[in-house]
Amino acid sequence: MSTYFRHSSKTMMKLWVLLCLCLGDVHGRKNVLFLVSDDMRPNIGAYLGPDFPSPVHPKMHTPNLDALAARSLLLKRAYVSVALCNPSRTALLTSRRPETSHIWDIGPYFRQYGGNFTTLPEYFKQNGYRTIGMGKIFHPGNSSGGDDPVSWTDTYAHAPDDYKLHNLLIEAVSEERAKALPLQDQLLAEYAIQALKEVAPKARSGEQPFFLAVGFRKPHIPWNFPARFKEYYPLESLRLPPNYYAPVGMPAIAWHNFVNLTRFKDMQPYHVPNAGSINYTFPDQITLEMRQAYYSCISYIDYELGRVIAELDNQGLTNNTIISFWGDHGWQLGEHSEWQKMTNFEDATHAPMMIHVPGATDHGVVTEKLTEFVDLYPTLVELAGLPKLDMCPPNSQNVSLCTEGTSMVPLMTNPTSEDWKTAAFSEYARIGNGLAGETVIGYTMRTELYRYTEWVNFKPMPIYKPLWDQQLGVELYDHTKDPEENYNRADDPSYKDIRAELSRNLRLGWRGALPKTRT
Ligand SMILES: *[C@@H]1O[C@H](CO)[C@@H](O)[C@H](O)[C@H]1NC(C)=O
Ligand SMILES: *[C@@H]1O[C@H](CO)[C@@H](O)[C@H](O)[C@H]1NC(C)=O
Ligand SMILES: *[C@@H]1O[C@H](CO)[C@@H](O)[C@H](O)[C@H]1NC(C)=O
Ligand SMILES: *[C@@H]1O[C@H](CO)[C@@H](O)[C@H](O)[C@H]1NC(C)=O
Ligand SMILES: *[C@@H]1O[C@H](CO)[C@@H](O)[C@H](O)[C@H]1NC(C)=O
Ligand SMILES: *[C@@H]1O[C@H](CO)[C@@H](O)[C@H](O)[C@H]1NC(C)=O
C-alpha cells in the first residue's frame, strides 16, 4: 500500500468521524454498561489503604471489582445525595439534588413532585442508543412510575425473588438449592448476559450502541446468598465494630431507629423493647453473623458482576464499552451502634463508584477528590460524546435537560487537581410524610477535613426551604483526628471559628463549592 493511500484513508477516516460528530450520528459511539449494586458500602478490596476514610475490614474477597477498579477511574470519595435508595438513585439518574427533584423518600416519583426531567438512560435513548434496564435501577414501583418507562427502548425486566418470602434476615443457600431455586441476582446476571449477546452484533458493527443498566439487589437485606461465599469470612476472623456506640455529643435527631431489622423471623430473639434505639447493641455473636452475611453478599455480587463483565469481553465489546459501577449509598454495620443507612454519617453517605473508559483509564486512575453522585450523569454524557449538559439554573423544575453535577472527566488526567469541588453535599429528611411533606432535614457537608451537619426545620411543599435559624441539632466531626466520627465537636469552643465557617459554606450550598473554572 502506498504511503499516499494510507495517508489519504486516514484523512478520510478523520473526516468521517468529524462528520459523524457534527451530525450527532450515533454510529461508532461507545456503549455503556451501567452496573449498580443495592446498599453496597465501599467494602471492596480496591478501597483498602492507610489513607482510606471508612473502616474497611476484614480483607475483602472482591476480585472482579478490584480488577475493574484497576482499569478505572476509582472515585475513592464519592458521596450520595441522600442515604436512601429512591432519593439517591433519583439524584444520580436525573443529576438533580433533592431541593430540585423534591425526592427525599421512598414512594414519590420525581416526574410528579419535581419535574419532567430527562434521565440519564433517556438522554442516551434520545441520542440513538438502545437502552435496556433490568433489576433495580430506579427504585421500582410508585417511586418511578414503574421503572420510568420513558427511559428505555426495551421492555424492563425484573428477576423473581423466591427467597424473600422466607422472611429470614440471613440465609446461606447451598449449591444444590441455588440450582433448583436460583437466587434473584443469579438470574439477573443471566438476563444481562443474554442481553449482551443480543445487542453485541449491532454494537460491534457500529450500527447501534447500547446503554445496558443492570441493578443487582444485594447486599440489600434480606441477606440470602450462596453459602460458599461465607468461607471468605470465617466468624473468628471478623471483628466487632470499632465504635459500637453513638458519637459523644450526638444530637438525638441524627439517629435512625433500626428496629425494623428485627422484623425477620430469625431476628425475633432481638426484638426487645429498646432494640434500634441509641446505643442499643446486638449480642456479639449475631453482630458478627450479620457482618459476615453482608460481606458474603458483597463477594456474591462481585462474582455475578464478574460474569457479566466476562461476557462483554466474550462479545469483543471491551474496547468500545464504558463500564460504570456504583452502590446507591453506604451502610452502617454496627458503627456508632447504628445499622442500615438513613443517617448523615460518613458510613451512610459514602459509596463506591468507578468508571472504566477504554483507552483512557486502562492503567487505573485513583482520585481522592470529593465527588458527588449527581456528577456521574454529565461524566458519562461527555465520555460518550453526546451534546454536553448546561448547569441547571436555580429552580430548574421546568428545565428538562441540565445538570447539578460536574463532569469528572478532568480527574482522569489530573486526579489531584486543585481546581475541584471543596465539598460534597448530602441530606436526610428525618420527619415528614414522605410525599414532599418533609418537615425536618439534616443538611451535611463533607470537606477535606471535616463533616458538618445542621438539622433544621423545613418548610415543605410548595415552599421547599430550610429554616436555617430553627436548628434541632448540629454536628461537627474532625476527620483529621477522628475519621470514625466518634466525637461531635460542634459545641467545643476550640472549634468555634471552624464551625462558623462550615455553617456559612453549608448554607451557601453546592453552588458555592464548585470548581472555580466551572462556576
Ligand atoms: C415529559 O417529557 C417527555 C420528553 O422527554 C415528553 O415526551 C412527555 O410528554 C413529557 N411529559 C409531560 C407530562 O409533560
Ligand atoms: C401507589 O400509588 C397508588 C396510586 O396513587 C396507590 O393507590 C398505592 O397505594 C401506592 N402503592 C404503594 C405501595 O405505595
Ligand atoms: C452512647 O455511648 C457513648 C459511649 O459510651 C456515650 O459517650 C454517649 O453519650 C452515649 N449516647 C447516649 C445518647 O446515651
Ligand atoms: C420495615 O421495612 C419494610 C420493608 O421495607 C416496610 O414495608 C415496613 O413499612 C417497615 N416498617 C417500619 C416500622 O418501618
Ligand atoms: C483492545 O485493544 C487493545 C489495545 O489497543 C488490544 O491489545 C486488544 O487486543 C484489543 N482487544 C479486543 C478484544 O479487541
Ligand atoms: C413551571 O411551570 C409552571 C407552569 O407554567 C409554573 O406554574 C411554575 O411556576 C414553573 N415553575 C418554576 C420553578 O419556574
Side-chain angles (χ1 to χ4, degrees):
M1 207 197 297
S2 77
T3 319
Y4 171 74
F5 187 80
R6 257 185 306 179
H7 176 74
S8 95
S9 79
K10 252 190 202 159
T11 308
M12 287 296 286
M13 188 66 125
K14 273 186 196 153
L15 281 172
W16 172 237
V17 168
L18 210 67
L19 199 67
C20 289
L21 286 176
C22 292
L23 297 176
D25 197 308
V26 79
H27 290 263
R29 285 209 201 277
K30 285 194 178 74
N31 311 296
V32 179
L33 179 58
F34 189 79
L35 303 169
V36 183
S37 166
D38 205 3
D39 283 18
M40 189 191 286
R41 70 186 207 170
N43 252 124
I44 297 169
Y47 277 76
L48 261 176
D51 54 347
F52 186 67
S54 80
V56 176
H57 64 83
K59 185 162 170 29
M60 293 301 294
H61 179 78
T62 49
N64 295 298
L65 282 166
D66 295 351
L68 182 63
R71 58 189 175 106
S72 291
L73 173 69
L74 178 62
L75 289 320
K76 272 205 154 181
R77 290 175 171 190
Y79 292 88
V80 300
S81 296
V82 183
L84 187 66
C85 302
N86 185 41
S88 174
R89 289 163 186 260
T90 296
L92 184 139
L93 292 160
T94 64
S95 198
R96 314 289 175 113
R97 298 163 196 256
E99 260 57 50
T100 306
S101 71
H102 302 155
I103 302 302
W104 286 272
D105 213 333
I106 314 271
Y109 180 24
F110 65 89
R111 294 195 196 268
Q112 194 179 347
Y113 288 88
N116 192 21
F117 309 135
T118 305
T119 71
L120 170 59
E122 185 183 0
Y123 191 51
F124 276 79
K125 177 180 159 184
Q126 288 174 358
N127 281 279
Y129 277 67
R130 182 163 174 191
T131 59
I132 304 179
M134 54 181 68
K136 186 169 169 182
I137 300 298
F138 292 91
H139 189 89
N142 282 4
S143 303
S144 58
D147 304 301
D148 198 47
V150 68
S151 284
W152 315 103
T153 56
D154 284 51
T155 307
Y156 201 89
H158 280 290
D161 181 4
D162 291 319
Y163 286 82
K164 206 174 184 162
L165 297 173
H166 299 180
N167 196 26
L168 294 169
L169 177 62
I170 302 176
E171 187 175 10
V173 180
S174 72
E175 296 302 303
E176 303 80 69
R177 183 105 177 98
K179 264 204 194 101
L181 189 69
L183 289 150
Q184 192 178 25
D185 287 325
Q186 198 183 325
L187 291 172
L188 190 69
E190 276 147 31
Y191 291 5
I193 288 167
Q194 274 313 314
L196 281 172
K197 290 191 165 120
E198 196 184 318
V199 297
K202 282 190 179 175
R204 271 195 306 262
S205 71
E207 192 180 335
Q208 188 182 29
F210 64 82
F211 181 104
L212 173 61
V214 187
F216 291 98
R217 295 292 187 131
K218 298 297 158 209
H220 196 291
I221 58 171
W223 295 313
N224 43 62
F225 55 92
R228 67 180 189 277
F229 292 106
K230 247 166 82 162
E231 288 160 24
Y232 297 108
Y233 310 102
L235 275 186
E236 58 278 14
S237 79
L238 300 190
R239 279 169 273 171
L240 292 169
N243 50 349
Y244 211 0
Y245 51 84
V248 179
M250 179 196 78
I253 190 76
W255 191 253
H256 155 68
N257 186 309
F258 55 85
V259 63
N260 205 345
L261 211 50
T262 65
R263 74 181 184 273
F264 295 95
K265 221 160 48 188
D266 51 338
M267 294 297 281
Q268 285 313 301
Y270 316 107
H271 191 78
V272 294
N274 64 337
S277 57
I278 300 176
N279 278 340
Y280 168 81
T281 55
F282 289 109
D284 290 358
Q285 178 72 16
I286 185 68
T287 301
L288 293 175
E289 283 170 9
M290 286 159 75
R291 288 165 79 90
Q292 177 187 50
Y294 185 86
Y295 297 142
S296 303
C297 283
I298 290 184
S299 292
Y300 160 43
I301 293 308
D302 179 86
Y303 170 79
E304 300 297 354
L305 282 165
R307 292 207 292 150
V308 177
I309 293 168
E311 185 61 28
L312 190 73
D313 227 13
N314 290 343
Q315 295 297 335
L317 292 169
T318 298
N319 274 6
N320 66 342
T321 303
I322 297 162
I323 307 175
S324 70
F325 169 77
W326 50 279
D328 63 352
H329 45 67
W331 224 81
Q332 286 128 166
L333 272 178
E335 293 87 2
H336 303 311
S337 80
E338 185 64 277
W339 292 84
Q340 306 180 290
K341 51 261 186 170
M342 303 165 186
T343 74
N344 269 330
F345 291 121
E346 183 80 7
D347 287 318
T349 55
H350 181 210
M353 184 179 278
M354 56 186 83
I355 309 165
H356 166 68
V357 188
T361 63
D362 296 334
H363 303 292
V365 182
V366 178
T367 182
E368 298 203 359
K369 287 284 152 185
L370 300 166
T371 53
E372 302 176 280
F373 268 37
V374 287
D375 297 337
L376 186 60
Y377 188 158
T379 304
L380 292 178
V381 163
E382 184 174 344
L383 289 170
L386 308 188
K388 281 193 191 181
L389 308 184
D390 292 330
M391 181 66 77
C392 293
N395 305 317
S396 63
Q397 277 77 23
N398 290 342
V399 183
S400 58
L401 185 70
C402 65
T403 176
E404 294 186 345
T406 302
S407 167
M408 300 182 280
V409 171
L411 294 176
M412 289 179 184
T413 45
N414 189 1
T416 58
S417 172
E418 285 305 313
D419 184 27
W420 195 249
K421 297 182 187 211
T422 52
F425 294 79
S426 310
E427 56 196 84
Y428 199 84
R430 187 60 80 208
I431 301 175
N433 68 8
L435 300 175
E438 282 67 23
T439 56
V440 172
I441 294 185
Y443 290 87
T444 191
M445 178 178 79
R446 179 62 213 270
T447 68
E448 201 58 49
L449 307 181
Y450 305 102
R451 171 167 298 287
Y452 181 72
T453 309
E454 290 188 17
W455 297 88
V456 295
N457 280 329
F458 184 83
K459 266 247 179 300
M461 181 165 63
I463 308 289
Y464 299 108
K465 287 272 180 278
L467 302 167
W468 290 113
D469 51 355
Q470 296 184 20
Q471 284 183 348
L472 292 104
V474 179
E475 296 167 86
L476 196 175
Y477 300 104
D478 182 348
H479 274 256
T480 64
K481 46 178 107 149
D482 178 26
E484 288 174 0
E485 304 185 335
N486 295 330
Y487 301 93
N488 179 10
R489 297 174 205 264
D491 294 326
D492 180 335
S494 62
Y495 284 81
K496 187 164 166 283
D497 294 345
I498 291 166
R499 172 176 164 166
E501 189 191 338
L502 289 169
S503 180
R504 256 194 318 276
N505 291 338
L506 184 73
R507 290 161 195 218
L508 272 177
W510 62 273
R511 287 182 200 269
L514 290 174
K516 286 189 184 53
T517 53
R518 262 156 298 207
T519 46

